[in-house]
Amino acid sequence: MSTSPNPIEQSFELAAWRCADLTPLVCQRLFSEHPETRAMFRSQGSELVMGSMLALTIEATLDFAGERSGQFRMIACEVASHDGYGTPRQLFIAFFTVIRDTLRDLLGDEWSPEMSCAWEQLLTDIEAFAGITA
């Protein structure tokens, strides 16, 4: 099924076979693990905003984990943008962790040790790239 040798890409490819839209799963997990985020989205149209935010994040993540052709720079732009919204930087990086955890749960037995290692490294690299400190 999966053709990419990149474990990050593999995780998204396999998830796409199981789920047409990750948005509801990611939203549910984000709001459950970080209830303070619910108030950050307006009540009307928040599904569209979250879907767009997730799509841009996935594109930037795949580029960051792959070719780094330019889309990955959106991560640094969004850190600055979210700073303006008053979003704590740790909460910003938590969104990437929520995506990883959602993929892991969705894939179940197909989640590999290679994916786990690649995602751990990716999260560390994104934190460093975005200037996020513990």
Side-chain angles (χ1 to χ4, degrees), residues 114-133:
E114 293 80 16
M115 287 177 196
S116 186
C117 288
W119 269 97
E120 281 304 314
Q121 187 61 56
L122 178 73
L123 293 173
T124 299
D125 292 348
I126 289 173
E127 285 180 357
F129 175 72
I132 298 171
T133 57

Side-chain angles (χ1 to χ4, degrees), residues 3-17:
T3 59
S4 174
N6 181 314
I8 302 297
E9 290 177 13
Q10 286 176 6
S11 66
F12 282 109
E13 287 173 0
L14 290 170
W17 282 99

Side-chain angles (χ1 to χ4, degrees), residues 19 25 33 38 47 61 69 79 84 86-87 93 102 115 119 127:
C19 180
L25 298 174
E33 293 181 6
R38 188 176 297 276
E47 300 84 16
T61 300
S69 61
V79 166
T87 304
I93 195 65
T102 302
M115 287 177 196
W119 269 97
E127 285 180 357

Side-chain angles (χ1 to χ4, degrees), residues 34 36-37 40 78-79 81-95 132-133:
H34 303 279
E36 69 276 22
T37 60
M40 296 176 174
E78 287 302 316
V79 166
S81 175
H82 283 72
D83 281 348
Y85 301 143
T87 304
R89 288 194 174 193
Q90 287 301 324
L91 186 55
F92 181 87
I93 195 65
F95 187 62
I132 298 171
T133 57

